[in-house]
Amino acid sequence: MRRAIDRTLTIAGWSCVLFVGFVLVLLLGAIVVRGLPAIDWAFLTQPQRAGGAEGGIIDNVIGTTILIATAAVVVTPLAVGTAITHGYYLRSSKAKARLELFLVGMSGIPSILLGIFGMIVFVGLLGWGKSWLAGGVLLALVMLPTVAVAMIERIGALPKAQVEAAVGLGMDDSQVVRSVILPQSFGALITGLLLGLARVAGETAPILFTATVFAGASFPTAIRESPVMSLPYHVFVLAQDSLDPAMRDRVWGAATVLLILVLALSAVALPLRLRIHDESVHG
Amino acid sequence: MNQTARTHSDRWSFTRLVCATFTGLTVGSVVLMALLFAAQSVPVWRHAGPEYIVGGDWFYRQELFGAASMIYGTVVVAAIAVAIATPLGLGAAIGTAELLPARARLWVKGAIELLAGIPSVVYGLLGVLFLRGWVDDALRSAGYEPIGGDTLFTAGLLLAVMVLPTIVTLADDALRAVPGSQRAAARGLGMTRAETVLSVCVPQAGRGIFAAVLLALGRALGETIAVFLVVGRQDGQWPAHLLSFERLFEPGQTLSSKLGGAETNIAYGDPLHWGAMVGLGLLLFCLVTFASFVSGWLQKRGGQVA
């Protein structure tokens, strides 16, 4: 009886692992097998024509690049400031715990709510139309907890002898922050940014109302009333009228490009993250 | 960096001021968001009162705003997702944490992170092009006459796949946090591996596993794009009895799919209608924030125990 239970658990555990692996292969396979044939040089470099049925996705790639680059620029000071406040300036562990809990809560905010928030702030209060900058700021808020937490973990794992040595050399707070904490946690900032960007590159909901259009935009030349096209919104719109077979190939192509972009960003972050983990264990 | 390493004064240097400002902006943005949602939804609370939460009818042209069927849709879809993903995810976590060798475990976890990285619009696309048809076929062969494959159940099923990585990774972390000496002691007492896992590891990791499930629940409650594409977006789907299954295999609406739809643009400019839409956001915000705070709190407590 005990043996039977033991064997059952082993079999059950293994089958769950295999099932999850099977789902992964199935999902990635289903997309890539259909998407890769649709991708060629023209698809990547031409603007879209005929409502997505012809032409390529270059404007969508440009738009998504602009959105995530803006998000990275906007999120960096916010996340670094928050992480250093948490790691160096906040003294009571209660205040630190509160800030951590806040970041957990913030990372759980559904991204559609940021889309609505953006509409209230950028369209309602500021009177902008659709704007790449609004989209960048909203995406920055989506990825902020990821970046901040990556830095907080790294700062928390810094050997305290380094800070003590810096203080012993007569450095004041600002010098310690600028010459010890910041350089030492720079790698974590990059990792956090890459992971965050991997997440927001595929986000549709925050930019739905305030930043992105399906057609008729290219490189923005202003801030107000200057939307961009984007990969996720492109897939989102085409998925809703995907009955047309010609459209279907192209939506798989766009989805594959999006997937490759997202997975590349997180794959670049993986070794960096492992190394940081290593240092924090052995350092 | 413990407290004794600090020799710094309370002087407000430029660097400190900058850090504090950006922290303030971070916290302020979320506070501002909550306040704006509360303030802008005031018209609908005035107009509909408690009817806004318990009422099942939503006809904006008649100024009838009742969110009950959307709350029902949101909760049901998330519940289906978590009910399917929890046993599978826990099983896979037991597999990775207790059965697999360390190297293989890293590979599997890496693969699961990949699964978590797939954008929700891609999941939605897969749902539209495959899952919708499969559910339709399955319902037909089960003797139903579905309107189509877009149902609350379809959305729940799709969400189950989407939250699976969250449950596996976090439950695996929780199980790994149980000290190896405990396992060794249990085995030394003559317990089999299954007995060790089930009566030592899982109970000790219980809090962490529960936190993982709650986090997944929070994700499922708020997920918009994938749900939007397969849920059918049919208003007013309120079941005859709270526990009856009739509505599950019909199109429905969730808070998030309503917010992601065209009605958000239509409502803009009409304070009452817009207030009703923002109010849905506020309800969603409350649901999700509650789930993620409880989860964060449990994870902290779980960490201390382990």
Side-chain angles (χ1 to χ4, degrees), chain A residues 87-130:
Chain A
Y88 194 73
Y89 288 115
L90 281 186
R91 290 167 178 206
S92 78
S93 54
K94 207 170 183 179
K96 281 178 178 237
R98 275 202 201 121
L99 188 55
E100 280 162 31
L101 195 60
F102 169 81
L103 287 171
V104 169
M106 186 176 181
S107 71
I109 294 177
S111 53
I112 184 70
L113 295 183
L114 286 160
I116 304 287
F117 177 54
M119 206 152 158
I120 298 176
V121 171
F122 293 108
V123 181
L125 300 180
L126 298 179
W128 295 5
K130 286 194 171 185

Side-chain angles (χ1 to χ4, degrees), chain A residues 22-254:
Chain A
F22 170 72
V23 169
L24 174 74
V25 173
L26 191 78
L27 291 181
L28 292 179
I31 301 158
V32 173
V33 163
R34 287 169 179 77
L36 279 183
I39 300 174
D40 53 28
W41 188 242
F43 185 68
L44 292 176
T45 53
Q46 285 182 7
Q48 149 191 318
R49 289 190 304 274
E54 287 172 34
I57 53 167
I58 182 66
D59 286 324
N60 307 86
V61 175
I62 291 174
T64 286
T65 311
I66 290 172
L67 286 173
I68 66 175
T70 312
V73 171
V74 173
V75 80
T76 301
L78 294 171
V80 171
T82 306
I84 289 178
T85 300
H86 176 278
Y88 194 73
Y89 288 115
L90 281 186
R91 290 167 178 206
S92 78
S93 54
K94 207 170 183 179
K96 281 178 178 237
R98 275 202 201 121
L99 188 55
E100 280 162 31
L101 195 60
F102 169 81
L103 287 171
V104 169
M106 186 176 181
S107 71
I109 294 177
S111 53
I112 184 70
L113 295 183
L114 286 160
I116 304 287
F117 177 54
M119 206 152 158
I120 298 176
V121 171
F122 293 108
V123 181
L125 300 180
L126 298 179
W128 295 5
K130 286 194 171 185
S131 156
W132 57 273
L133 183 58
V137 171
L138 293 172
L139 292 181
L141 292 177
V142 174
M143 67 188 281
L144 205 159
T146 311
V147 187
V149 166
M151 278 198 83
I152 284 174
E153 281 176 358
R154 185 73 182 95
I155 293 173
L158 280 182
K160 57 176 181 260
Q162 288 197 351
V163 176
E164 281 165 2
V167 173
L169 286 170
M171 289 187 177
D172 65 25
D173 286 345
S174 309
Q175 286 169 322
V176 172
V177 167
R178 284 194 303 250
S179 357
V180 179
I181 308 232
L182 268 184
Q184 290 286 357
S185 56
F186 187 73
L189 172 64
I190 300 296
T191 312
L193 279 176
L194 286 168
L195 289 175
L197 289 179
R199 179 174 165 201
V200 300
E203 279 282 356
T204 317
I207 57 176
L208 201 54
F209 303 116
T210 51
T212 188
V213 289
F214 180 69
S218 189
F219 209 85
T221 49
I223 289 181
R224 304 167 61 151
E225 306 291 347
S226 53
V228 286
M229 288 160 72
S230 65
L231 281 170
Y233 189 61
H234 186 74
V235 176
F236 178 62
V237 172
L238 289 187
Q240 289 175 67
D241 46 21
S242 56
L243 296 173
D244 178 358
M247 213 72 111
R248 202 172 267 202
D249 286 348
R250 317 196 73 80
V251 66
W252 286 121

